[in-house]
Amino acid sequence: MKRYFGMMALLVLVLAACSTTGTLGDGESLDAEQLAIETDLNLDAAIFEDLGGAAAASVQSVEDQDVADLAGAWGLPTVAVRFLKAWGVRLPRPGDADGQCNIDVNTNGYADADGDGVFDLVDASFDCSGTLGGGQAFAVSGGFHFEDKDGAFTGFAMSLSDFTVSLTTTRGEHTVQRTRTLNGSVDVSGSPAEGYVLTKDLSIHFVVEVDGEVLHEATWTAQKTKTYTPDDPDAPAVGGVVSISGNATLTRDGNAMEFQVSTSTDVEGETPLHWSRDCWRAARDAGRLGHKMGGFDAGWILHENLTTGDYTKVTYNGCGNVSVEKNF
């Protein structure tokens, strides 16, 4: 009977996450659409903050240097370390995990034709697990492929194959595991002076389990184009204006919902959607919703159901001050 009421309490959390309108707190939402948006935007944030490149790490911050050192220890591009960190995982250094972390990395001869400090081609397969601060367990598995574009700070192409990240937390008497598996590709092209274009074709599969039983499962497939215009071309990773367009499909319980995404950047008279690295890191370190929703500090993102007109609108009212409005 105690187990039954515990499960019911978690179901109440799920229903609360699907409320029509509200400002969410720091609690973890189990709503599939929000989980998909969080994962997608946090991948973007990892890309944005890496636009300065590994060569600039030593002049940016202690954190950037730590990321560069950890990436170098494994032979990975820095963006790979950043996006895992964005999803709540900090990889141990080689040898630190007592054999629990194995990353098979092929740097394809350490080629760096443009001399920008980023290997031209990296393939990696992950098989890692460990424990984070607070006792949260993590596991990472799957394939990663990376190709650096010719020229310093001109972008890269990346693909993920069954790339799975799971986080397991104990809540009271219950164990909650959130698993997301990504397949697809990301292409980043451009320059600090002209801005960047991110083209993404991703499938994200989510499973939320409580005490080993599946509570929530869904798949989010999206094709999106995003532009990023740095505030300062001399420091492209510090912040910039973002525009997002494209479509997404959420499949849950055999039902598919089609969404179209837009932002305030392309609406006359609205405050443009703005990303800030300082905001991203401050919100992340404080555990605020602004981190879960990508570290923006102004503007809004709208996902609208093409069939019903229902929508999810994420509005950034300042750093860490995020409201999520849902009309179902």
Side-chain angles (χ1 to χ4, degrees), residues 30-31 45 103 105 133-134 152 154 165 170 181 190 201 208 235 259 261 274 288-290 294 315 317 321:
L30 301 183
D31 176 73
I103 307 177
V105 181
T154 54
V165 178
T170 299
T181 300
D201 188 349
V208 179
F259 293 87
V261 62
H274 185 267
R288 293 199 298 264
L289 185 63
T315 301
N317 308 295
N321 184 357

Side-chain angles (χ1 to χ4, degrees), residues 275-294:
W275 182 82
S276 163
R277 185 181 63 186
D278 288 345
C279 176
W280 158 254
R281 293 182 178 180
R284 179 199 64 203
D285 294 343
R288 293 199 298 264
L289 185 63
H291 165 244
K292 291 179 176 294
M293 288 301 186

Side-chain angles (χ1 to χ4, degrees), residues 8 22 26 40 52 60 70 72 81 93 126 145 168 197 199 202 216 239 244 273 282 297 312 314-315 317:
M8 288 301 295
D26 289 337
D40 193 22
Q60 290 179 19
L70 183 55
V81 175
R93 293 184 180 277
F126 289 74
H145 176 77
T168 303
V197 177
T199 304
L202 288 176
H216 207 57
I244 307 172
L273 181 66
D297 58 7
T312 296
V314 182
T315 301
N317 308 295

Side-chain angles (χ1 to χ4, degrees), residues 12-320:
V12 169
L13 288 175
V14 175
L15 294 174
C18 296
S19 61
T20 56
T21 305
T23 300
L24 301 184
D26 289 337
E28 292 182 297
S29 167
L30 301 183
D31 176 73
E33 184 183 355
Q34 186 173 320
L35 284 172
I37 294 172
E38 288 176 11
T39 301
D40 193 22
L41 293 178
N42 287 359
L43 175 56
D44 289 345
I47 292 170
F48 295 154
E49 71 170 346
D50 199 65
L51 289 176
S58 61
V59 297
Q60 290 179 19
S61 71
V62 172
E63 175 171 330
D64 289 302
Q65 188 61 60
D66 180 67
V67 167
D69 289 346
L70 183 55
W74 284 109
L76 294 168
T78 53
V79 69
V81 175
R82 290 194 197 277
F83 77 69
L84 282 171
K85 189 172 184 179
W87 295 338
V89 174
R90 187 193 187 281
L91 289 175
R93 293 184 180 277
D96 287 354
D98 297 326
Q100 296 181 56
C101 195
N102 296 299
I103 307 177
D104 184 12
V105 181
N106 181 2
T107 58
N108 296 278
Y110 302 97
D112 179 13
D114 56 12
D116 63 354
V118 181
F119 294 139
D120 293 340
L121 192 63
V122 178
D123 291 285
S125 59
F126 289 74
D127 182 12
C128 293
S129 62
T131 303
L132 304 169
Q136 186 178 49
F138 76 88
V140 181
S141 63
F144 170 88
H145 176 77
F146 176 90
E147 298 180 22
D148 183 38
K149 298 285 180 70
D150 187 40
F153 314 132
T154 54
F156 60 86
M158 177 177 68
S159 61
L160 303 169
S161 302
D162 291 329
F163 198 91
T164 301
V165 178
S166 68
L167 296 172
T168 303
T169 306
T170 299
R171 293 182 181 173
E173 299 179 358
H174 300 283
T175 299
V176 180
Q177 183 179 64
R178 299 183 357 152
T179 301
R180 47 199 161 190
T181 300
L182 283 78
N183 283 279
S185 61
V186 178
D187 184 279
V188 182
S189 299
S191 68
E194 298 178 358
Y196 294 89
V197 177
L198 285 68
T199 304
K200 300 170 69 175
D201 188 349
L202 288 176
S203 172
I204 310 171
H205 182 70
F206 296 91
V207 180
V208 179
E209 296 177 77
V210 179
D211 298 331
E213 297 181 12
V214 175
L215 177 67
H216 207 57
E217 186 171 9
T219 300
W220 176 268
T221 304
Q223 298 80 39
K224 297 180 181 179
T225 299
K226 308 186 180 187
T227 64
Y228 176 82
T229 305
D231 296 333
D232 180 359
D234 292 329
V238 172
V241 172
V242 178
S243 175
I244 307 172
S245 62
N247 297 282
T249 302
L250 178 66
T251 304
R252 180 172 50 190
D253 300 327
N255 299 313
M257 294 181 285
E258 302 286 338
F259 293 87
Q260 185 175 58
V261 62
S262 60
T263 63
S264 56
T265 304
D266 299 310
V267 179
E268 186 176 356
E270 294 284 345
T271 301
L273 181 66
H274 185 267
W275 182 82
S276 163
R277 185 181 63 186
D278 288 345
C279 176
W280 158 254
R281 293 182 178 180
R284 179 199 64 203
D285 294 343
R288 293 199 298 264
L289 185 63
H291 165 244
K292 291 179 176 294
M293 288 301 186
F296 295 91
D297 58 7
W300 50 257
I301 303 172
L302 176 69
H303 284 81
E304 184 175 11
N305 190 308
L306 294 173
T307 302
T308 65
D310 298 337
Y311 64 85
T312 296
K313 185 177 184 180
V314 182
T315 301
Y316 302 89
N317 308 295
C319 184

